[in-house]
Amino acid sequence: MWRFRRGVSFFTVYRWSKSIDDVSTYGSGGTVVAQDPFDLSAERGLSSFDQRHSLDATFILTSPFGGGPAAVHMEGLSRRLLEDWTLGGGMALHSGTPLTAQVRGNRSDTGGTGVVGSGRADASGMPVDAGSGFFNREAFTVPPSGRYGNAGRNTIPGPDLFSLNLEFGRSFPLWSDRRSAEFRVEANNPLNSVSFSGFGTTVNASDYGRPTAAASMRKVTAQLRFRF
């Protein structure tokens, strides 16, 4: 953390963490969803919310023009137009949360019900992070009928997430201290960078290995507010 000095202030937090469990969420009615209820040890893996690296930063920059001791001294109209402007924002860079390779339908059907369960894919033995895609599609296959898949929970590294937000503006006094006009511009994702937030991980589905969701794209808004 850097305290406000010479018109600059910023705050940065980095976190490293790792979480392992055998279930991260609960199904409807409070029922734990497991692939094989008689082999709960096979459910042990990274938590669905595991996020290895997390970096968050915020900053504030104020105009160097004005009458303060560290300011660039100006007088008259130029000073009135250039002083008190503020640029602030926040940045976040997070590791992705892990994903699980699944299969469509109840391949094991041990109960003979035909109900779609939480079946996982088979691990082929190939590295998950090889190839040119978001992950190696050949690392998982459909298990044979009548057997549970042997791939572990959350063995696919999720996509990293990046976000940047900026805010620029100032307040102009009008006639008296009780009245002012405030001008502000806010930009969400000003770089218009794409951060994927989901991928198809069902081996026998048409969207397998493809991105299925993304964070919001660039959005810029301007505000002019009169205070009295």
Side-chain angles (χ1 to χ4, degrees):
M1 177 179 180
W2 182 271
R3 295 179 182 273
F4 198 73
R5 183 179 179 184
R6 295 183 180 272
V8 179
S9 176
F10 64 86
F11 181 76
T12 305
V13 176
Y14 169 76
R15 292 181 294 272
W16 181 90
S17 63
K18 183 177 182 179
S19 179
I20 298 175
D21 57 28
D22 54 14
V23 63
S24 299
T25 58
Y26 291 89
S28 59
T31 304
V32 176
V33 179
Q35 176 180 243
D36 182 359
F38 300 103
D39 185 14
L40 296 183
S41 62
E43 301 303 307
R44 181 176 172 81
L46 293 176
S47 301
S48 298
F49 50 81
D50 176 73
Q51 204 163 50
R52 198 61 47 86
H53 303 281
S54 178
L55 176 65
D56 295 278
T58 58
F59 67 91
I60 299 176
L61 306 176
T62 59
S63 171
F65 305 101
V72 177
H73 289 273
M74 301 184 70
E75 300 295 338
L77 180 61
S78 298
R79 172 181 170 178
R80 295 182 62 183
L81 292 177
L82 296 177
E83 68 179 350
D84 297 332
W85 289 95
T86 300
L87 173 66
M91 182 203 73
L93 181 60
H94 298 164
S95 298
T97 52
L99 306 171
T100 300
Q102 296 178 311
V103 290
R104 210 178 206 173
N106 191 349
R107 298 288 299 176
S108 61
D109 198 17
T110 54
T113 62
V115 177
V116 175
S118 301
R120 293 197 291 272
D122 254 10
S124 67
M126 299 182 65
V128 179
D129 56 355
S132 59
F134 298 103
F135 65 91
N136 185 9
R137 291 162 46 99
E138 304 301 322
F140 304 98
T141 61
V142 177
S145 179
R147 179 172 69 75
Y148 291 110
N150 58 21
R153 284 178 59 241
N154 295 328
T155 54
I156 302 175
D160 294 339
L161 299 176
F162 171 77
S163 66
L164 175 67
N165 299 312
L166 297 176
E167 183 178 287
F168 177 73
R170 67 161 290 187
S171 180
F172 299 86
L174 300 174
W175 306 306
S176 68
D177 294 339
R178 297 183 58 184
R179 294 179 176 85
S180 64
E182 182 179 337
F183 172 74
R184 193 162 302 278
V185 177
E186 298 178 354
N188 297 324
N189 190 13
L191 302 179
N192 207 31
S193 58
V194 179
S195 292
F196 294 110
S197 56
F199 287 97
T201 59
T202 302
V203 177
N204 50 352
S206 59
D207 62 356
Y208 177 54
R210 300 176 182 175
T212 58
S216 300
M217 303 306 290
R218 177 168 51 211
K219 179 181 179 182
V220 180
T221 58
Q223 301 179 25
L224 181 61
R225 182 180 299 174
F226 177 64
R227 297 181 181 275
F228 58 92

